[in-house]
């Protein structure tokens, strides 16, 4: 091809490719969810997913992710390397096609084991479109190839920059400041959690993460390497680190059913909560779906059959419900689906019908074998189920009491609630305040038009350690239900929430800014996480941030939320200023509380969201559970909210 020809062809192809790429830049949220923190991190997952695909095909076993000094990201794998030959249809290097055509991905390689591909499955070209600069370096065919792009446009054709007998792909990208206007700072912890999760979900792949932005006391970069030999079995151990198992070992299976690759691992522990984590193509399906339904069906039918034939149920006077089989259960279900259909509000609910029976059969076989081979464990499980059923009956009565108070009597709001006058829930806020005295201050300081106050007495019940009926009998918790107007529970699903009557769209936890206060916030958050998770997922739960200091000089005064801020204020005010450290909300007067913490114009509310369900579950069970050593270790290593992501 003459040079003239080549450049002509090149530009025609680019025009077509750019249309898709321009669309990504115009509507980034359609492709990566949002342009905030999540979208920013999503870029990394998208590139890594391509490397995982190489690994699932058996071509790659090492992946390294580096956060560079300038918050650009480098990913490296030892796969085959993205092909660099001229792509027949497009007439340019395949590398350029993969990088600049939306949806090209690995599509032209039909045999590849392509099941991963990110939440939106948009491919690495999307990352390219949203990066101010991206360089792809490919080790392949004895050479090193390279191409650089700016905002998705190739600067030059692919060229060889040297020789190498290695293979693999290296991608360095810097998210575009024109797109990611809110933040371009990567969180090591967020990326590290995801890499750990990927290592558990895809055993045998070594995944390393390194942060080159700062060094520790020894001058070393922070780095971790994840490699799981036993996959989900080890994932279960990790999730249940702070819980006490009641059976000998993790029950697990791995295989293919009706053409669907299925992996399941589960264990029973002494807790009362149910922890199911499901994945499709390495994506956490928060909203569950057909694979989870299959798991439930397989579990219930197999255990029911076993319990019936064991004679252990003979004396039981009532039916066992689905819930009862899952109390104290931690399980992970991971399936690979060729063409997943994602449904639901957040597109994290699997819709493919055929998956239900595949998982159900897989689980039944796995459990039948286990129960047969481990009769002692089988007995322990059935007894646990019976206890759960009895507790559920007790809880039902307690719950009905809550229910009656909530729905039957219209004026049945808790006496302690100081309600607001506004009727539209979307405009209403309720502050859950620690202690009656701070509650009183908040009541005086609030705007009664749209702000309600519910004082809570001291430490609320630790739901992590309490059986369900104790939770529903607890007065503070009943007050929360009635004040919020949330009703609960059907016989089949004791925690099914009815949010239609939710009376406030902002539920604000307001506690002292000290250790006790954060303990109480954590107790309240634990309750919401275990019993009203939908409220968190819908974005209704917030944490207030009262200031730590008041700095004053003469008539001038200002507040500080950190030691740094305090020091800056002291400098600004000059000598002779006084500093008051607020030990609790009670030390502020009504006006101060309004100015700093409650006034929508001034305050900072932190919205609580669950970035990683497994990690949130682990952290709550650790912070609030029985085992002291891991909790101490965690608290020593982290601020209390570190991984809850508020
Ligand atoms: C398209 C086709 C092939 C591999 C890849 C893409 C590929 C993409 C990425 C992205 C990061 N690492 C990657 N590794 C591979 C198939 C290659 C062949 O047939 O040899």
């Amino acid at each position: 091809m003459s040079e003239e020809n080549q450049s002509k062809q090149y530009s025609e192809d680019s025009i077509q490719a750019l249309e898709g790429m321009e669309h990504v830049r115009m509507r980034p949220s359609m492709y990566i969810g949002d342009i905030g923190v999540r979208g920013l991190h999503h870029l990394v997952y998208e590139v890594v997913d391509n490397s995982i695909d190489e690994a699932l095909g058996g071509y790659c076993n090492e992946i390294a992710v580096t956060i560079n000094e300038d918050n650009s990201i480098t990913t490296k794998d030892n796969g085959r390397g993205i092909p660099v030959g001229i792509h027949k249809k497009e007439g340019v290097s395949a590398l350029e096609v993969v990088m600049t055509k939306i949806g090209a991905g690995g599509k032209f390689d039909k045999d590849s084991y392509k099941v991963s591909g990110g939440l939106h499955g948009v491919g690495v070209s999307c990352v390219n479109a949203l990066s101010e600069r991206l360089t792809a370096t490919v080790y392949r065919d004895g050479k090193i190839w390279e191409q650089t792009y700016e905002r998705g446009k190739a600067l030059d054709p692919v060229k060889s920059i040297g020789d190498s007998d290695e293979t693999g792909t290296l991608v360095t990208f810097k998210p575009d400041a024109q797109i990611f206007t809110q933040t371009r700072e990567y969180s090591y912890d967020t990326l590290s959690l995801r890499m750990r999760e990927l290592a558990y979900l895809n055993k045998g792949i070594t995944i390393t993460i390194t942060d080159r932005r700062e060094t520790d006391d020894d001058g070393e970069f922070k780095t971790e390497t994840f490699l799981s030999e036993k996959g989900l079995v080890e994932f279960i151990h990790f999730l249940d680190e702070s819980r006490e198992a009641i059976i000998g070992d993790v029950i697990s299976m791995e295989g293919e059913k009706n053409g669907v690759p299925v992996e399941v691992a589960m264990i029973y522990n002494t807790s009362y909560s149910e922890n199911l984590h499901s994945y499709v193509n390495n994506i956490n399906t928060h909203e569950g779906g057909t694979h989870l339904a299959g798991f439930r069906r397989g579990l219930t039918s197999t255990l029911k059959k076993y319990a019936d034939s064991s004679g252990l149920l003979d004396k039981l006077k009532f039916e066992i419900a689905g819930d009862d089989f899952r109390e104290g259960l931690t399980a992970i279900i991971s399936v690979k689906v060729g063409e997943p259909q994602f449904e639901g509000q957040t597109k994290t609910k699997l819709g493919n019908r055929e998956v239900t029976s595949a998982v159900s059969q897989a689980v039944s076989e796995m459990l039948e074998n286990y129960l047969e081979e481990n009769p002692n464990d089988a007995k322990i499980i059935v007894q646990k189920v019976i206890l759960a059923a009895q507790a559920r009956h007790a809880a039902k009565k307690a719950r009905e009491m809550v229910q009656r108070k909530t729905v039957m009597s219209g004026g049945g709001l808790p006496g302690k609630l100081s309600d607001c006058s506004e009727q539209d829930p979307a405009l209403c806020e309720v502050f859950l305040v620690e202690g009656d005295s701070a509650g009183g201050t908040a009541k005086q300081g609030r705007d009664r038009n749209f702000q309600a106050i519910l004082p809570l007495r001291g430490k609320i019940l630790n739901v992590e350690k309490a059986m369900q009926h104790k939770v529903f009998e607890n007065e503070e918790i009943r007050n929360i239900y009635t004040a919020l107007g949330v009703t609960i529970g059907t016989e089949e699903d004791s925690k099914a929430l009815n949010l239609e009557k939710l009376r406030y769209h902002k539920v604000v936890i307001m506690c002292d800014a000290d250790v006790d206060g954060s303990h109480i916030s954590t107790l309240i958050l634990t309750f919401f996480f275990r019993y009203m998770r939908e409220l968190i997922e819908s974005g209704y739960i917030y944490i207030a941030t009262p200031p730590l200091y008041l700095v004053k000089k003469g008539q001038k005064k200002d507040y500080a939320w950190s030691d740094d801020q305090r020091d800056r204020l002291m400098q600004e005010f000059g000598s002779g200023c006084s500093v008051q450290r607020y030990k609790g909300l009670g030390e502020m007067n009504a006006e101060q509380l309004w100015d700093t913490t409650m006034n929508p114009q001034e305050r900072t509310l932190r919205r609580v969201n669950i970035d990683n369900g497994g990690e949130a579950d682990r952290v709550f069970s650790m912070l609030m559970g029985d085992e002291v050593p891991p909790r101490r270790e965690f608290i020593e290593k982290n601020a209390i909210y570190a991984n809850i992501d508020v």
Side-chain angles (χ1 to χ4, degrees):
M1 206 185 288
S2 75
E3 207 164 314
E4 196 196 327
N5 249 340
Q6 196 181 351
S7 78
K8 178 162 172 264
Q9 183 124 31
Y10 183 73
S11 60
E12 275 171 7
D13 279 314
S14 319
I15 289 165
Q16 205 195 3
L18 274 177
E19 285 173 354
M21 297 289 272
E22 279 307 330
H23 194 254
V24 177
R25 291 182 58 80
M26 254 157 53
R27 294 273 145 75
S29 305
M30 271 180 62
Y31 296 85
I32 56 165
D34 65 47
I35 51 162
V37 181
R38 282 189 195 202
L40 185 76
H41 289 77
H42 192 93
L43 299 181
V44 183
Y45 308 152
E46 203 62 58
V47 185
V48 170
D49 277 343
N50 286 277
S51 303
I52 296 276
D53 277 341
E54 274 295 280
L56 292 177
Y59 304 107
C60 164
N61 63 359
E62 284 174 23
I63 300 172
V65 174
T66 305
I67 311 173
N68 300 308
E69 289 87 333
D70 62 348
N71 269 294
S72 67
I73 296 285
T74 299
T75 70
K76 184 177 193 283
D77 69 53
N78 65 347
R80 290 169 294 180
I82 302 177
V84 288
I86 296 296
H87 187 263
K88 279 202 199 80
K89 188 166 146 265
E90 306 293 338
V92 293
S93 159
L95 172 60
E96 185 166 335
V97 177
V98 168
M99 285 296 169
T100 61
K101 263 195 103 75
I102 296 305
K107 288 268 169 61
F108 50 85
D109 181 17
K110 277 211 197 69
D111 300 329
S112 79
Y113 192 83
K114 175 99 189 146
V115 290
S116 185
L119 178 53
H120 305 264
V122 288
V124 69
S125 53
C126 228
V127 178
N128 194 18
L130 301 176
S131 295
E132 57 185 46
R133 196 178 172 86
L134 182 147
T135 298
T137 313
V138 170
Y139 296 74
R140 195 180 160 107
D141 309 327
K143 290 199 185 312
I144 309 172
W145 310 87
E146 199 163 86
Q147 189 168 39
T148 294
Y149 319 81
E150 280 179 6
R151 306 200 160 92
K153 293 179 198 175
L155 298 182
D156 293 295
V158 175
K159 58 174 180 283
S160 164
I161 57 163
D163 298 326
S164 171
D165 46 20
E166 291 182 26
T167 66
T169 303
L170 200 146
V171 174
T172 297
F173 65 91
K174 187 155 170 39
D176 190 351
Q178 292 176 0
I179 305 283
F180 298 93
T181 48
Q182 301 163 24
T183 176
R184 293 178 296 287
E185 182 153 328
Y186 276 103
S187 153
Y188 176 87
D189 290 342
T190 300
L191 293 179
S192 161
L193 265 180
R194 175 62 180 157
M195 295 310 128
R196 183 198 301 270
E197 183 178 49
L198 282 172
Y200 282 130
L201 290 170
N202 305 280
K203 61 185 164 203
I205 310 178
T206 301
I207 309 182
T208 303
I209 170 148
T210 307
D211 190 346
R212 298 180 61 93
R213 291 172 300 186
E214 54 183 305
T215 53
D216 63 15
D217 295 342
D218 302 324
E220 306 279 341
F221 294 126
K222 195 179 338 177
T223 183
E224 285 169 289
T225 297
F226 306 113
L227 166 64
S228 176
E229 299 290 352
K230 298 205 182 93
L232 297 193
V233 172
E234 285 169 354
F235 201 174
I236 292 275
H237 285 306
F238 176 70
L239 290 172
D240 263 16
E241 190 181 66
S242 305
R243 298 194 180 96
E244 200 184 322
I246 59 167
I247 57 172
D249 206 354
V250 176
I251 308 173
S252 69
M253 67 75 58
E254 184 183 350
E256 202 170 298
K257 277 269 166 282
N258 314 337
V260 182
V262 180
E263 273 185 81
V264 179
M266 55 177 266
I267 200 162
Y268 280 95
N269 55 55
T270 57
S271 85
Y272 305 112
S273 45
E274 166 189 330
N275 299 296
L276 304 183
H277 302 280
S278 63
Y279 294 86
V280 176
N281 305 343
N282 292 329
I283 301 157
N284 191 188
T285 32
H286 299 282
E287 299 172 275
T290 50
H291 52 333
L292 198 60
F295 173 81
R296 291 205 173 110
R297 186 193 291 175
L299 181 86
T300 304
S301 69
T302 310
L303 285 182
K304 209 166 201 160
K305 203 164 79 189
Y306 185 88
D308 281 339
S309 66
S310 71
L312 289 162
L313 302 185
D314 291 352
K315 277 176 278 165
L316 212 60
K317 296 209 173 56
F318 43 80
E319 274 287 296
I320 294 188
D323 259 13
D324 304 332
F325 293 99
R326 299 190 299 271
E327 196 176 284
L329 173 69
T330 296
I332 306 164
I333 302 102
S334 173
V335 298
K336 301 277 159 62
V337 180
E339 281 178 35
Q341 282 139 29
F342 289 112
E343 304 168 348
Q345 277 203 321
T346 54
K347 292 269 174 273
T348 57
K349 181 176 183 183
L350 185 68
N352 303 55
R353 297 268 138 232
E354 70 280 9
V355 179
T356 301
S357 63
V359 177
S360 162
Q361 280 176 39
V363 170
S364 295
E365 272 172 37
M366 165 186 87
L367 266 180
E368 274 163 23
N369 287 336
Y370 188 88
L371 298 173
E372 200 165 301
E373 286 164 21
N374 302 274
N376 281 337
D377 280 356
K379 202 168 155 192
I380 291 171
I381 294 172
V382 173
Q383 276 162 350
K384 167 109 183 160
V385 171
I386 293 172
L387 276 177
Q390 286 165 340
R392 180 173 47 84
H393 269 249
K396 195 176 162 222
K397 292 201 185 79
R399 200 169 55 235
E400 279 165 359
M401 276 163 68
V402 181
Q403 212 88 301
R404 259 201 300 280
K405 278 182 87 173
T406 344
V407 268
M408 305 281 206
S409 44
L413 291 169
K416 288 171 132 203
L417 176 78
S418 305
D419 208 6
C420 53
S421 43
E422 174 62 52
Q423 297 287 320
D424 178 1
L427 303 175
C428 292
E429 308 180 343
V430 63
F431 286 77
L432 309 183
V433 189
E434 158 194 3
D436 286 331
S437 95
T441 317
K443 195 177 155 187
Q444 284 167 31
R446 69 178 171 148
D447 182 333
R448 63 166 61 237
N449 285 318
F450 65 98
Q451 292 181 320
I453 308 292
L454 181 66
L456 297 175
R457 194 190 340 112
K459 305 229 154 170
I460 83 157
L461 181 72
N462 179 356
V463 301
E464 198 66 37
K465 287 193 197 166
M467 292 179 84
Q468 246 186 60
H469 66 98
K470 290 283 175 207
V471 174
F472 293 128
E473 279 164 14
N474 180 272
E475 192 184 330
E476 304 300 305
I477 287 175
R478 290 219 311 243
N479 282 346
I480 295 178
Y481 274 109
T482 37
L484 299 190
V486 172
T487 56
I488 23 152
T490 59
E491 179 103 8
E492 254 307 295
D493 186 352
S494 61
K495 290 177 194 171
L497 282 189
N498 180 357
L499 294 186
E500 268 165 42
K501 297 214 169 71
L502 180 67
R503 303 178 61 247
Y504 313 92
H505 282 191
K506 283 202 173 74
V507 178
V508 186
I509 302 169
M510 188 160 73
C511 294
D512 291 345
D514 64 1
V515 176
D516 272 352
S518 55
H519 187 219
I520 292 166
S521 307
T522 312
L523 284 167
I524 301 174
L525 274 177
T526 309
F527 163 70
F528 282 125
F529 183 70
R530 295 288 180 216
Y531 284 84
M532 293 195 185
R533 189 160 166 173
E534 281 165 76
L535 277 189
I536 304 184
E537 284 168 346
S538 310
Y540 294 140
I541 307 289
Y542 296 82
I543 295 182
T545 53
L548 292 175
Y549 301 101
L550 169 64
V551 183
K552 247 165 93 174
K553 186 177 169 186
Q555 299 290 10
K556 277 198 301 189
K557 63 168 190 187
D558 211 343
Y559 303 91
W561 276 260
S562 68
D563 291 2
D564 275 356
Q565 232 178 356
R566 174 202 59 193
D567 295 345
R568 259 180 280 132
L569 279 179
M570 286 169 69
Q571 230 169 11
E572 192 185 305
F573 285 14
S575 65
C577 65
S578 69
V579 177
Q580 183 190 347
R581 154 109 193 151
Y582 288 126
K583 288 189 210 73
L585 299 170
E587 292 180 23
M588 273 184 262
N589 63 35
E591 188 195 337
Q592 290 169 330
L593 192 60
W594 164 258
D595 285 346
T596 59
T597 316
M598 297 178 75
N599 177 358
Q601 309 299 320
E602 301 293 335
R603 71 187 180 193
T604 305
L605 290 186
R606 295 185 296 167
R607 179 185 263 172
V608 180
N609 66 312
I610 305 167
D611 226 17
N612 183 314
E615 186 61 10
D617 166 61
R618 227 176 62 82
V619 169
F620 281 121
S621 72
M622 184 188 324
L623 290 175
M624 297 297 147
D626 283 324
E627 305 227 354
V628 177
R631 171 163 66 232
R632 183 175 307 142
E633 192 189 328
F634 181 86
I635 291 174
E636 279 166 9
K637 277 203 317 220
N638 302 275
I640 212 148
Y641 292 118
N643 280 325
I644 310 176
D645 186 43
V646 281

